[in-house]
C-alpha cells in the first residue's frame, strides 16, 4: 500500500474544517425544522431566542445584536413572525415609549413543533459518552467566551459571565459550582450557554470568576 507522505493541515485548520462540516449539517436541519412551521431559519432563530426570554420580550435592536443580524433583517423577520401570530409587540417595561417583542403561546407551541423534527446532529452529540459531552460543552464555553472577548460575537448569556455564578464553590464535589439566583449547586454538565435568568457581571468579577473556573477545569 502506498504511504501517505502529505503533511496534514495544521490541527487548528482541521478543527475549523470539522466545525464547518457540523455547521453545514445544522444549517440543513434548521431549514427543515423552520419549514415545518412555515418560517425561514432566521425567523426560527429569532423565535427560539424570544421564547427563551419569556414574557418581558426584547427590543429589536437587542435581538439583532444578540443574534448578530442586521436591524432591517431582524425587523423584517419580526414582522413576518407577528403576521403569523408567533410574536407580539408590547410596551417595554423599562421604557414606556419603547416597544419590546415577545413570543406568544402560539410561538412557543411552534418552537416545540419544530424541535420535534429528527436531528442527525443531536443524535451524533448524543452518541458521545456523558463525559465526552461534558468535555465538549466545556470546550465550547471556552471558545465562545474567547470569541465574545474578541468582539467576534455579542455577549452570550452564559454562566461564566453571570453575576450569579460562583465557580468551584465546592471543590472536589460533583457539583462544584453555585448559582446564586436559584441558590443551588450545579455540575459542569449543567453550565448554561443561554440562560433566561442571566445577568451580566462587571468585567472585573467576570475575570476573577473565569480565573477560578479555569483553575478547576484545567
Ligand atoms: S442565573 Fe443562569 S447563567 Fe447565571 S449562574 Fe445561574 S444558571 Fe448560570
Amino acid at each position: 500500500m502506498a504511504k501517505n507522505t502529505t503533511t496534514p493541515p495544521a490541527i487548528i485548520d482541521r478543527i475549523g474544517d470539522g466545525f464547518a462540516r457540523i455547521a453545514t449539517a445544522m444549517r440543513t436541519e434548521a431549514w427543515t425544522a423552520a419549514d415545518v412551521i412555515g418560517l425561514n431559519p432566521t425567523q426560527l432563530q429569532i423565535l427560539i431566542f424570544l421564547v427563551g426570554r419569556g414574557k418581558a420580550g426584547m427590543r429589536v435592536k437587542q435581538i439583532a445584536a444578540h443574534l448578530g443580524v442586521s436591524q432591517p433583517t431582524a425587523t423584517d423577520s419580526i414582522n413576518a413572525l407577528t403576521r403569523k401570530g408567533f410574536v407580539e409587540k408590547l410596551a417595554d417595561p423599562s421604557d414606556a415609549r419603547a416597544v419590546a417583542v415577545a413570543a406568544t403561546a402560539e410561538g412557543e407551541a411552534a418552537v416545540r413543533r419544530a424541535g420535534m423534527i429528527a436531528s442527525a446532529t443531536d443524535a451524533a452529540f448524543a452518541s458521545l459518552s456523558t463525559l465526552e459531552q461534558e468535555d465538549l460543552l466545556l470546550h465550547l464555553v471556552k471558545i465562545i467566551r474567547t470569541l465574545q472577548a474578541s468582539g467576534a460575537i455579542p455577549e452570550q448569556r452564559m454562566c461564566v459571565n453571570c453575576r450569579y455564578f460562583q465557580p468551584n464553590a465546592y471543590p472536589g464535589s460533583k457539583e462544584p459550582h453555585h448559582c446564586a439566583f436559584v441558590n443551588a449547586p450545579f455540575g459542569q454538565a449543567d453550565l448554561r450557554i443561554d440562560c433566561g435568568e442571566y445577568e451580566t457581571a462587571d468585567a472585573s468579577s467576570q475575570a476573577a470568576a473565569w480565573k477560578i473556573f479555569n483553575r478547576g477545569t484545567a
Side-chain angles (χ1 to χ4, degrees):
M1 190 196 289
K3 208 170 160 190
N4 186 350
T5 52
T6 52
T7 313
I11 186 164
I12 300 294
D13 295 337
R14 280 174 282 143
I15 291 171
D17 277 352
F19 273 112
R21 301 290 184 281
I22 297 166
T24 302
M26 292 182 87
R27 257 197 309 276
T28 307
E29 289 177 358
W31 273 106
T32 309
D35 197 43
V36 164
I37 52 172
L39 301 179
N40 66 36
T42 304
Q43 292 162 355
L44 176 58
Q45 194 188 13
I46 290 175
L47 184 57
I48 291 171
F49 179 76
L50 288 173
V51 167
R53 258 89 203 141
K55 296 290 164 224
M58 282 194 109
R59 294 191 206 177
V60 175
K61 196 174 167 189
Q62 294 171 309
I63 296 168
H66 270 280
L67 297 178
V69 298
S70 70
Q71 234 171 287
T73 299
T75 302
D76 286 349
S77 299
I78 288 161
N79 288 341
L81 290 167
T82 307
R83 282 194 297 274
K84 288 186 177 292
F86 291 164
V87 302
E88 59 187 348
K89 294 176 182 164
L90 314 161
D92 187 331
S94 64
D95 178 353
R97 291 164 305 172
V99 170
V101 184
T104 60
E106 289 78 10
E108 288 177 22
V111 165
R112 280 197 297 278
R113 270 202 320 280
M116 285 161 71
I117 303 304
S119 160
T121 50
D122 280 357
F125 299 145
S127 74
L128 299 175
S129 71
T130 307
L131 210 60
E132 288 168 335
Q133 289 177 19
E134 199 175 296
D135 272 354
L136 181 57
L137 177 64
L138 185 63
H139 293 133
L140 287 173
V141 165
K142 291 187 176 186
I143 292 168
I144 293 168
R145 184 178 180 274
T146 306
L147 286 171
Q148 185 184 290
S150 69
I153 56 171
E155 181 181 2
Q156 304 298 306
R157 312 199 329 157
M158 302 196 294
C159 291
V160 293
N161 300 329
C162 177
R163 67 186 283 260
Y164 297 116
F165 183 49
Q166 296 170 1
N168 297 316
Y170 316 103
S173 155
K174 277 189 177 164
E175 295 186 313
H177 311 305
H178 187 83
C179 170
F181 183 84
V182 290
N183 194 24
F186 67 98
Q188 214 81 287
D190 296 315
L191 284 167
R192 306 283 290 271
I193 300 236
D194 185 35
C195 173
E197 281 72 45
Y198 170 89
E199 281 185 41
T200 190
D202 61 66
S204 64
S205 304
Q206 279 190 14
W210 184 247
K211 220 167 160 184
I212 298 169
F213 176 71
N214 248 330
R215 220 181 290 141
T217 59

